[in-house]
Amino acid sequence: MASESERRDEHWLRDRVRLSWVQQSLLLGAVLTILWMRVVPADLTRRVAVDAVLLIGGPLALALSQGKRIGWRIDRVAIRNSILLAVFVLPFYVVGSTLPTIRAFYPIWETSAAPAAFIPHAIKLFVLALAAETYYRGLLCVGVKRLGFVAVFISPVVYMLHHASKPPIEFVLSGPTDVLFGAIDYKSDSILPSVVAHGGGLVLLDWLVLHDPVFDPAIVVRFLEWLPVPV
């Protein structure tokens, strides 16, 4: 039977070894991104399943086990900021849908504008957005907001890494986009704004690319030709 001194030593060691919530979040974030990059499938249906298990299930399991919140909440502030963020990013998706590099890349997964095909496709895209935002803005931003506003800048590097295969202009904008979405979610204490903007944006972009450009692509390309990346 352990003596009082031995028990004190055990408690001291356990306290030293035990990771804080922030440390656990960052460690899980690193593990999940390594796993995701190794096993992410090309097929959309399988991708939805993998993302749901890893990027939704993983963060939620950790949060529930520790009694923490990672932004899965809806209130008046979150709804208001969701509308404002969606309105702000809408023009970027509309203009982006006219760019040659974007139209050549999207839709990533084959679909058509027919409702029977596009509606299930749109639902799957929303699940992907929910998974991404639960990981990036939930686990790695809202979940660790006790760090202060610096929490907003934790995930942009990983976010850009995961967008390395996207068109150059999207890759360049992915970092600032991550910071913007993170800042709004941080202030909202909810991932709802980025889920709505991200999910709605993915669906809208695919829908627009499946149709003729809203604007003359030549005009848009000429306006953006100063950028150091192809458009």
Side-chain angles (χ1 to χ4, degrees), residues 2 7 12 43 45 48 57 66 134 186:
R7 285 197 293 270
W12 179 86
D43 176 73
T45 301
V48 168
Q66 301 297 315
T134 299
Y186 177 90

Side-chain angles (χ1 to χ4, degrees), residues 3 19 23 42-43 68 81 93 99 120 126 139 160 162 164 168 174 205 208 212:
S3 65
L19 298 177
Q23 290 171 327
D43 176 73
K68 303 293 184 179
N81 289 347
Y93 283 108
L99 300 178
F126 257 102
L139 180 68
M160 290 186 71
H162 288 172
S174 62
L205 184 60
L208 290 171
D212 293 334

Side-chain angles (χ1 to χ4, degrees), residues 106 136 158-167 170-171 174 198:
Y106 289 93
Y136 294 114
V158 179
Y159 192 71
M160 290 186 71
L161 178 64
H162 288 172
H163 284 71
S165 62
K166 297 296 182 70
E170 183 177 355
F171 172 72
S174 62
H198 190 178

Side-chain angles (χ1 to χ4, degrees), residues 9-231:
D9 289 342
E10 289 176 1
H11 289 318
W12 179 86
L13 180 61
R14 190 161 51 246
D15 289 339
R16 294 294 182 185
V17 173
R18 183 182 300 152
L19 298 177
S20 69
W21 163 248
V22 172
Q23 290 171 327
Q24 291 180 61
S25 298
L26 297 180
L27 178 60
L28 177 63
V31 171
L32 288 178
T33 197
I34 292 172
L35 285 175
W36 184 86
M37 293 178 71
R38 291 181 62 88
V39 304
V40 60
D43 176 73
L44 177 56
T45 301
R46 293 175 56 210
R47 167 73 178 272
V48 168
V50 169
D51 280 21
V53 171
L54 291 181
L55 305 185
I56 296 179
L60 284 182
L62 177 64
L64 291 173
S65 70
Q66 301 297 315
K68 303 293 184 179
R69 293 184 176 181
I70 56 173
W72 273 49
R73 57 179 292 170
I74 300 176
D75 56 22
R76 184 182 302 175
V77 173
I79 293 174
R80 180 200 66 194
N81 289 347
S82 297
I83 295 172
L84 292 176
L85 182 60
V87 170
F88 178 79
V89 301
L90 176 62
F92 291 91
Y93 283 108
V94 173
V95 172
S97 70
T98 69
L99 300 178
T101 57
I102 298 296
R103 296 184 70 85
F105 189 82
Y106 289 93
I108 298 175
W109 296 280
E110 185 177 353
T111 186
S112 74
F118 193 80
I119 292 176
H121 177 78
I123 293 172
K124 293 175 183 178
L125 291 183
F126 257 102
V127 175
L128 292 185
L130 175 61
E133 298 308 327
T134 299
Y135 172 74
Y136 294 114
R137 255 63 66 177
L139 180 68
L140 299 180
C141 182
V142 176
V144 294
K145 67 180 304 182
R146 67 176 60 183
L147 293 174
F149 196 71
V150 69
V152 170
F153 300 97
I154 292 176
S155 66
V157 174
V158 179
Y159 192 71
M160 290 186 71
L161 178 64
H162 288 172
H163 284 71
S165 62
K166 297 296 182 70
I169 189 169
E170 183 177 355
F171 172 72
V172 169
L173 292 176
S174 62
T177 299
D178 182 85
V179 173
L180 172 64
F181 282 22
I184 299 299
D185 286 359
Y186 177 90
K187 293 296 185 181
S188 308
D189 198 24
S190 168
I191 65 171
L192 182 64
S194 59
V195 169
V196 171
H198 190 178
L202 289 177
V203 173
L204 177 62
L205 184 60
D206 275 9
W207 176 261
L208 290 171
V209 170
L210 290 171
H211 296 79
D212 293 334
V214 178
F215 306 108
D216 182 355
I219 296 176
V220 179
V221 170
R222 190 160 56 246
F223 182 76
L224 297 176
E225 62 184 2
W226 58 272
L227 291 172
V229 294
V231 295

